[in-house]
Amino acid sequence: MRLATLRDGTRDGRLSLVRSDGARLADASRIARNLQAALDDWKAVEPRLRAMEAELEAGRLATDPVELQRLQAPLPRAYEWVDGSTYLNHAKLVRRARGAEMPASFETDPLVYQGGSGVLLGPSDDILLPDPLMGLDFEGEIAVILGDVPIGTRAAQALPHVRLVALLNDVTLRNLVPPELAKGFGFFQSKPATAFAPFVVTPDELGAAWHDGRAWLQMKIWLNGHLVGDLETGPEMHFSFAQLLEHAARTRAFTAGTIIGSGTVSNADPTHGVSCLAERRTLEVLASADRQPTTPFLRAGDRVAMEVFDTQGRSLFGRIEQKVVPAA
Amino acid sequence: MRLATLRDGTRDGRLSLVRSDGARLADASRIARNLQAALDDWKAVEPRLRAMEAELEAGRLATDPVELQRLQAPLPRAYEWVDGSTYLNHAKLVRRARGAEMPASFETDPLVYQGGSGVLLGPSDDILLPDPLMGLDFEGEIAVILGDVPIGTRAAQALPHVRLVALLNDVTLRNLVPPELAKGFGFFQSKPATAFAPFVVTPDELGAAWHDGRAWLQMKIWLNGHLVGDLETGPEMHFSFAQLLEHAARTRAFTAGTIIGSGTVSNADPTHGVSCLAERRTLEVLASADRQPTTPFLRAGDRVAMEVFDTQGRSLFGRIEQKVVPAA
């Protein structure tokens, strides 16, 4: 089952059910007015949505075309956005460029941070750039959206709490990261609003590509129409979503609609390309005599696109297609 | 105007209006079903609530007694919880105890972190202790709750975005802080669910005690019935809420219902006592020959209470009264 949020003038938008070909959608707001409401009452809502899906696939419902501009983030505002950093190749590379070793604890103790969740961007919403010197970058990530999670939930019990899987662009202001992390309190200004692909999908939509608490899919990233990343999301995700959830729930509970992210997808084999510019710049630094990157960060007018494909070549989450514009 | 959230079995509870004596409240859900709904549509809702307040004060409405156990956090789940650290005495003390200097930048560049906001505790909800070795502590803080805030909002334009003022207990697991901050991504497991006093109040309720973007009030903290803190919240708040908001909004917008906290209230004059045990332990370390604290962190069965008074001696936000219980 794939769900999307249609812009309707309300803060949370209108719940829609997406047809299996991804081309058309049907209003599902008679079942739950928006995605948060569906997650709040998932046990009752899910079977009704699945019944509606059968009607939709049988061609018995009125539908509208999927138009990216009419779609908001699946959750335009969420109660929590917890982001991990599970692709260790990314952490290793970034450290190697500055001559540092990755701490051994990174292999056993997940890195997570609390992101801002009150304003989440839709798939074609502009990325606002307050200042070109901030070093604007994208990050392609897979995420899960949870039901209610009790405090102390362990990895072995975690996966039944996963309601939906998502694709997101974790927009980052790279040049704000070092001074901000040096202050000790983690990311804040360096993490502006995150953008989401149009569709969120139930784990069964991934079929065999959902196992071991990971999504085993193909992520493609384009910058100004050029393919810069063609990555595998499964094999190098060091910690699973189940392990991330255990880590997050060690000292507190989570409410339905909480989003947990994988961190920037990264593959050790450089022929896969990158899901963020920071990594490409790091490779340039390591490869060049003068240790300078040649790829610039994003500038006004740049266009970023992301899409994730399953083994049948289906675009599972639809397409992120954003343009960079100066913040007013 | 003072508002509270009555437990009614729903996730967000029921909006209630509190009588000026703090003893009784009236159901306000015919105006907005809960506090988030009121904040979402504040311009339309506020005048209706104010008209209802006149009726309430005139004794023309049905009321119920204020019972702490029936009240949830004013926002039982919020879209963002951004916490500052504006009382520099606290930062100075903690650093002095470990022989470090406070960086000069702390006087010009606010420290803030993103807190977890999906599960917020009511005024009498238990504090769950997963493990006594985690070093459980309380922190008394003043916070503001915002309306919609555009990206790039400056301090001079910030205060009209403040809808409500609140009192909270920023529960902290002290022994998890150093290893977590050493990882570089900020607080996560070390910040379990935050607890809120029962009433949130419009800034005009503070009268002359609301100026310069700060609340100039008296905060009292009790541990197991003993007064451990009797602090002034105004004079030593180095950054105002307006400055915190400017800092937070530099690279992104905020949605209505976002909470911004002051950080642990702290006064340089030690006769004021403390709003957190960490500070008391620091003073003990600095004063003792063996540099060991004598005050233990919170244990199962301990009771923490907090209350804030205005110049007329009125308990502005009602009382936080929590007990520590082991997490199951």
Side-chain angles (χ1 to χ4, degrees), chain B residues 84-104:
Chain B
S85 179
T86 66
Y87 294 87
L88 297 191
N89 182 59
H90 177 72
K92 270 181 207 157
L93 267 183
V94 171
R95 273 164 190 75
R96 203 190 300 160
R98 59 171 203 250
E101 286 292 301
M102 191 181 75

Side-chain angles (χ1 to χ4, degrees), chain A residues 11-12 33 36 39-41 77-80 82-85 95 105-106 109-119 128 130-131 134 148 151 173 176 180-181 183-193 246-256 258 327-328, chain B residues 11-12 33 36 39-41 77-80 82-85 95 105-106 109-119 128 130-131 134 148 151 173 176 180-181 183-193 246-256 258 327-328:
Chain A
R11 289 177 180 267
D12 298 299
R33 66 190 184 288
Q36 182 64 50
L39 290 161
D40 283 351
D41 193 21
R77 49 181 183 174
Y79 288 107
E80 290 197 43
V82 177
D83 198 12
S85 179
R95 274 165 189 75
S105 68
F106 278 29
D109 184 26
L111 268 180
V112 300
Y113 72 90
Q114 189 89 35
S117 56
V119 176
L128 296 183
D131 180 341
M134 290 180 177
D148 293 306
I151 183 173
L173 295 162
L176 301 188
E180 201 150 59
L181 297 196
K183 289 165 73 178
F185 274 26
F187 305 98
F188 197 90
Q189 293 178 339
S190 53
K191 292 288 186 182
E246 170 174 315
H247 180 87
R250 186 175 173 217
T251 62
R252 59 188 168 96
F254 291 91
T255 199
T258 295
Chain B
R11 290 177 179 267
D12 299 299
R33 64 190 187 286
Q36 182 64 51
L39 290 161
D40 283 350
D41 193 22
R77 50 181 182 172
Y79 289 107
E80 291 198 42
V82 176
D83 199 12
S85 179
R95 273 164 190 75
S105 67
F106 278 28
D109 184 27
L111 268 180
V112 300
Y113 71 91
Q114 189 88 34
S117 57
V119 176
L128 296 183
D131 181 341
M134 289 181 178
D148 293 306
I151 184 174
L173 295 162
L176 301 188
E180 200 151 58
L181 297 197
K183 288 166 71 179
F185 274 26
F187 304 99
F188 197 92
Q189 293 178 337
S190 54
K191 292 288 186 181
E246 171 173 315
H247 180 86
R250 186 176 172 218
T251 62
R252 59 189 169 96
F254 292 91
T255 199
T258 294

